[in-house]
Amino acid sequence: MITGGTPYFFKQSVKPHTTQTEFSLQDVKDLPRVDIIYAHANQDSTLIDAAVAAGAKGIVYAGMGNGSIHKNAFSGLESAANKGVLVVRSSRTGSGLVVDSNSEWQNFINAGSLNPQKARVLLQLALKKTSDLEEARRIFETY
């Protein structure tokens, strides 16, 4: 697959998984709240604001195409990120990668090839370790 002029090869799983990861669920009773917000026509930030108000530590935004953010939802996601909520851009399309493509999205994490559901689980695991954007970004790049 080629995205943004960069070739990506998927023949075998080369990323660490299962027992080869840095994560342990031993003694873990619950995971941080992470909500998935699906992009749609005429979207605004109401659901994003509600997720933050409900205590979400992370939001996975299931955008269109390359995890594109609806113009009316951007301010809500930016506000959430400014409050310390980790925001992951994912895609609702079912295929393709989510990669850097817009400098306005620098405060968000790219989900890569993970669908919104898998991105949510990885973000929950990441949040058990850190709330730092750069460290969470490293985790998404690793796994």
Side-chain angles (χ1 to χ4, degrees), residues 35-54 59 61 69-81 83 87 108:
D35 291 322
I36 301 173
I37 307 291
Y38 279 83
H40 56 83
N42 300 320
Q43 183 174 30
D44 58 21
S45 63
T46 301
L47 294 176
I48 298 162
D49 297 341
V52 173
I59 292 174
Y61 185 78
I69 299 170
H70 190 284
K71 65 181 180 178
N72 297 336
F74 177 78
S75 64
L77 292 172
E78 189 173 50
S79 175
K83 292 176 182 171
V87 176
F108 308 141

Coordinates of all heavy atoms in Angstrom, one line a residue, residues 35-54 59 61 69-81 83 87 108:
D35 N -13.4 7.2 24.8 CA -14.6 7.1 23.9 C -14.2 7.2 22.5 O -13.2 7.9 22.1 CB -15.5 8.3 24.3 CG -16.1 8.1 25.7 OD1 -16.5 7.0 26.0 OD2 -16.3 9.1 26.4
I36 N -15.0 6.6 21.6 CA -14.9 6.7 20.2 C -15.9 7.6 19.7 O -17.1 7.4 19.9 CB -15.0 5.3 19.5 CG1 -13.9 4.3 20.0 CG2 -14.9 5.4 18.0 CD1 -14.1 2.9 19.5
I37 N -15.5 8.6 18.9 CA -16.4 9.6 18.3 C -16.4 9.4 16.8 O -15.3 9.5 16.2 CB -16.1 11.0 18.7 CG1 -16.0 11.2 20.2 CG2 -17.1 12.0 18.0 CD1 -17.3 11.1 20.9
Y38 N -17.5 9.0 16.2 CA -17.5 8.8 14.7 C -17.8 10.1 14.0 O -18.8 10.8 14.3 CB -18.5 7.7 14.3 CG -17.9 6.3 14.5 CD1 -17.9 5.7 15.8 CD2 -17.4 5.6 13.5 CE1 -17.4 4.5 16.0 CE2 -16.8 4.4 13.7 CZ -16.8 3.8 14.9 OH -16.3 2.5 15.1
A39 N -17.0 10.4 13.0 CA -17.3 11.6 12.1 C -18.6 11.4 11.3 O -18.9 10.3 10.9 CB -16.1 11.8 11.2
H40 N -19.3 12.5 11.1 CA -20.5 12.4 10.3 C -20.8 13.8 9.7 O -20.2 14.8 10.2 CB -21.7 11.9 11.1 CG -22.0 12.6 12.3 ND1 -22.7 13.8 12.3 CD2 -21.6 12.4 13.6 CE1 -22.8 14.2 13.6 NE2 -22.1 13.4 14.4
A41 N -21.7 13.9 8.7 CA -22.0 15.2 8.1 C -22.7 16.1 9.2 O -23.4 15.6 10.1 CB -23.0 14.9 7.0
N42 N -22.4 17.3 9.1 CA -22.9 18.4 10.0 C -22.5 18.1 11.4 O -23.3 18.6 12.3 CB -24.5 18.5 9.8 CG -24.9 18.8 8.4 OD1 -24.2 19.7 7.8 ND2 -25.9 18.2 8.0
Q43 N -21.4 17.5 11.6 CA -21.0 17.2 13.0 C -20.6 18.5 13.7 O -20.1 19.5 13.1 CB -19.7 16.3 12.9 CG -19.2 15.9 14.3 CD -18.1 14.9 14.2 OE1 -17.4 14.9 13.2 NE2 -18.0 14.0 15.1
D44 N -20.7 18.5 15.0 CA -20.2 19.6 15.8 C -19.4 19.0 17.0 O -19.1 17.8 16.9 CB -21.3 20.6 16.3 CG -22.4 19.9 17.1 OD1 -22.1 18.8 17.7 OD2 -23.5 20.4 17.2
S45 N -19.1 19.8 18.0 CA -18.3 19.2 19.1 C -19.1 18.7 20.3 O -18.6 18.4 21.3 CB -17.3 20.3 19.5 OG -17.9 21.4 20.1
T46 N -20.4 18.6 20.1 CA -21.3 18.2 21.2 C -20.9 16.9 21.9 O -20.7 16.8 23.1 CB -22.8 18.1 20.8 OG1 -23.1 19.4 20.3 CG2 -23.7 17.7 21.9
L47 N -20.7 15.8 21.0 CA -20.3 14.5 21.6 C -18.9 14.5 22.1 O -18.6 13.8 23.1 CB -20.4 13.5 20.5 CG -21.8 13.2 20.0 CD1 -21.8 12.2 18.8 CD2 -22.7 12.7 21.1
I48 N -18.0 15.3 21.5 CA -16.6 15.4 22.1 C -16.7 16.1 23.4 O -16.0 15.6 24.4 CB -15.8 16.2 21.1 CG1 -15.7 15.5 19.7 CG2 -14.4 16.5 21.6 CD1 -15.3 16.4 18.6
D49 N -17.4 17.2 23.5 CA -17.5 17.9 24.8 C -18.1 17.0 25.9 O -17.7 17.0 27.0 CB -18.3 19.2 24.7 CG -17.7 20.2 23.7 OD1 -16.5 20.1 23.5 OD2 -18.4 21.1 23.2
A50 N -19.1 16.2 25.5 CA -19.8 15.3 26.4 C -18.8 14.2 26.9 O -18.8 13.8 28.1 CB -21.0 14.6 25.8
A51 N -18.0 13.7 26.0 CA -17.0 12.7 26.4 C -16.0 13.3 27.4 O -15.7 12.6 28.5 CB -16.2 12.2 25.2
V52 N -15.5 14.5 27.2 CA -14.6 15.1 28.1 C -15.3 15.4 29.5 O -14.8 15.1 30.5 CB -14.1 16.5 27.5 CG1 -13.3 17.2 28.6 CG2 -13.3 16.2 26.3
A53 N -16.6 15.9 29.4 CA -17.3 16.1 30.7 C -17.6 14.8 31.5 O -17.6 14.9 32.7 CB -18.6 16.8 30.3
A54 N -17.7 13.7 30.8 CA -17.9 12.4 31.4 C -16.6 11.8 32.0 O -16.7 10.8 32.6 CB -18.6 11.4 30.4
I59 N -9.8 10.1 23.5 CA -10.8 10.1 22.5 C -10.2 9.5 21.3 O -9.1 10.0 20.8 CB -11.4 11.5 22.2 CG1 -12.2 12.0 23.4 CG2 -12.3 11.5 21.0 CD1 -12.6 13.4 23.3
Y61 N -11.0 9.5 17.5 CA -11.8 10.1 16.5 C -11.8 9.3 15.2 O -10.8 9.2 14.6 CB -11.4 11.6 16.2 CG -12.3 12.3 15.2 CD1 -13.5 12.8 15.7 CD2 -12.0 12.4 13.9 CE1 -14.3 13.5 14.9 CE2 -12.8 13.1 13.0 CZ -14.0 13.7 13.5 OH -14.9 14.3 12.7
I69 N -10.7 15.2 10.0 CA -11.6 15.8 11.0 C -12.5 16.7 10.4 O -12.1 17.7 9.7 CB -10.7 16.5 12.1 CG1 -9.7 15.4 12.7 CG2 -11.6 17.1 13.1 CD1 -8.7 16.1 13.6
H70 N -13.8 16.6 10.7 CA -14.8 17.5 10.2 C -14.5 18.9 10.8 O -14.2 19.0 11.9 CB -16.2 17.0 10.7 CG -17.3 17.8 10.1 ND1 -17.7 19.1 10.4 CD2 -18.2 17.4 9.0 CE1 -18.7 19.5 9.7 NE2 -19.0 18.5 8.8
K71 N -14.6 19.9 9.9 CA -14.3 21.3 10.3 C -15.0 21.7 11.6 O -14.4 22.5 12.4 CB -14.5 22.2 9.2 CG -15.9 22.4 8.8 CD -16.1 23.4 7.7 CE -17.6 23.5 7.3 NZ -17.8 24.5 6.2
N72 N -16.2 21.3 11.8 CA -17.0 21.7 13.0 C -16.6 20.9 14.2 O -16.9 21.3 15.4 CB -18.5 21.6 12.8 CG -19.0 22.5 11.7 OD1 -18.3 23.5 11.3 ND2 -20.1 22.1 11.0
A73 N -15.9 19.8 14.1 CA -15.4 19.0 15.2 C -14.0 19.4 15.7 O -13.6 19.1 16.8 CB -15.5 17.5 14.9
F74 N -13.3 20.0 14.8 CA -11.9 20.3 15.1 C -11.7 21.1 16.4 O -10.8 20.7 17.3 CB -11.2 21.0 14.0 CG -9.8 21.4 14.2 CD1 -8.8 20.4 14.1 CD2 -9.4 22.7 14.7 CE1 -7.4 20.7 14.4 CE2 -8.1 23.0 14.9 CZ -7.1 22.0 14.8
S75 N -12.4 22.1 16.6 CA -12.3 22.9 17.8 C -12.5 22.1 19.1 O -11.8 22.3 20.1 CB -13.1 24.2 17.8 OG -14.5 23.8 17.8
G76 N -13.5 21.2 19.1 CA -13.8 20.4 20.2 C -12.6 19.4 20.5 O -12.2 19.2 21.7
L77 N -12.0 18.8 19.5 CA -10.9 17.9 19.7 C -9.7 18.7 20.2 O -8.9 18.3 21.0 CB -10.6 17.2 18.4 CG -11.6 16.2 17.9 CD1 -11.3 15.6 16.5 CD2 -11.7 15.0 18.9
E78 N -9.5 19.9 19.6 CA -8.3 20.7 20.0 C -8.5 21.2 21.5 O -7.5 21.1 22.3 CB -8.2 22.0 19.1 CG -7.0 22.8 19.3 CD -6.9 23.9 18.3 OE1 -7.9 24.6 18.1 OE2 -5.8 24.0 17.7
S79 N -9.7 21.5 21.9 CA -10.0 21.9 23.3 C -9.7 20.7 24.2 O -9.2 20.9 25.3 CB -11.4 22.4 23.4 OG -11.8 22.6 24.7
A80 N -10.2 19.5 23.8 CA -10.0 18.3 24.6 C -8.5 18.1 24.8 O -8.0 17.8 25.9 CB -10.6 17.1 23.9
A81 N -7.7 18.2 23.7 CA -6.3 18.0 23.8 C -5.6 19.0 24.7 O -4.7 18.7 25.5 CB -5.6 18.0 22.4
K83 N -6.9 20.2 27.2 CA -7.2 19.9 28.6 C -6.5 18.6 29.1 O -6.8 18.1 30.2 CB -8.7 19.7 28.7 CG -9.5 20.9 28.6 CD -11.0 20.7 28.6 CE -11.7 22.0 28.4 NZ -13.2 21.8 28.2
V87 N -5.9 12.5 22.1 CA -6.8 12.3 20.9 C -6.1 11.5 19.9 O -5.0 11.9 19.4 CB -7.3 13.7 20.4 CG1 -8.1 13.5 19.1 CG2 -8.0 14.5 21.4
F108 N -2.5 15.6 17.9 CA -3.2 14.4 17.9 C -2.3 13.2 17.5 O -1.2 13.4 16.9 CB -4.4 14.4 16.9 CG -5.3 15.6 17.1 CD1 -5.8 16.3 16.0 CD2 -5.6 16.1 18.3 CE1 -6.6 17.4 16.1 CE2 -6.5 17.2 18.5 CZ -7.0 17.8 17.4

